[in-house]
Amino acid sequence: MTFHATAVSSAHEPTLLCPNCNHEIRLTESLAAPLLAETRHRFQEQLANKDAEVARKTEALQQERESSRRIVSRSKTRLPADWRPSGANSSLRKQRRRAN
């Protein structure tokens, strides 16, 4: 069963319209409390799920970044000294390329 909340313009009190009989039911605090609690609980669950998803993605990105750092670190140690990136060695690289 679904209810549509409407506002009564004369009394400025929220009401629910019954889908079966179209009777307007004044939404007092005692009637609204369970609806609000259920809605709050549902939104808190959605927020917790989103937080968990963000945490998983953040962890995956951190692992990927660390993996990339290790790969770059290993590749720098395997390159000959004159092939490692630096401004002074760029002329040696150009000379090797021309020679080949």
Side-chain angles (χ1 to χ4, degrees), residues 52-64:
E53 181 181 347
V54 167
R56 282 191 305 272
K57 288 181 179 183
T58 301
E59 179 65 27
L61 286 172
Q62 288 174 343
Q63 289 177 356
E64 185 177 332

Side-chain angles (χ1 to χ4, degrees), residues 16-36:
L16 295 177
L17 187 60
C18 177
N20 296 324
C21 67
N22 289 330
H23 180 73
E24 282 190 8
I25 304 167
R26 284 187 12 207
L27 189 58
T28 62
E29 287 186 34
S30 61
L31 290 174
L35 297 172
L36 292 172

Side-chain angles (χ1 to χ4, degrees), residues 44 64 71 84 86:
Q44 286 175 343
E64 185 177 332
I71 290 170
R84 291 189 188 140
S86 71

Side-chain angles (χ1 to χ4, degrees), residues 19-95:
N20 296 324
C21 67
N22 289 330
H23 180 73
E24 282 190 8
I25 304 167
R26 284 187 12 207
L27 189 58
T28 62
E29 287 186 34
S30 61
L31 290 174
L35 297 172
L36 292 172
E38 178 187 344
T39 303
R40 184 177 296 117
H41 179 70
R42 188 172 53 238
F43 283 133
Q44 286 175 343
E45 284 179 345
Q46 289 175 352
L47 182 61
N49 290 339
K50 288 289 183 183
D51 286 345
E53 181 181 347
V54 167
R56 282 191 305 272
K57 288 181 179 183
T58 301
E59 179 65 27
L61 286 172
Q62 288 174 343
Q63 289 177 356
E64 185 177 332
R65 181 181 297 153
E66 185 60 34
S67 175
S68 296
R69 285 182 186 155
R70 280 181 277 179
I71 290 170
V72 168
S73 176
R74 279 188 244 138
S75 66
K76 284 182 180 179
T77 58
R78 292 180 187 160
L79 289 175
D82 59 336
W83 280 86
R84 291 189 188 140
S86 71
N89 291 329
S90 63
S91 61
L92 291 173
R93 284 193 297 251
K94 288 179 186 176
Q95 290 174 0

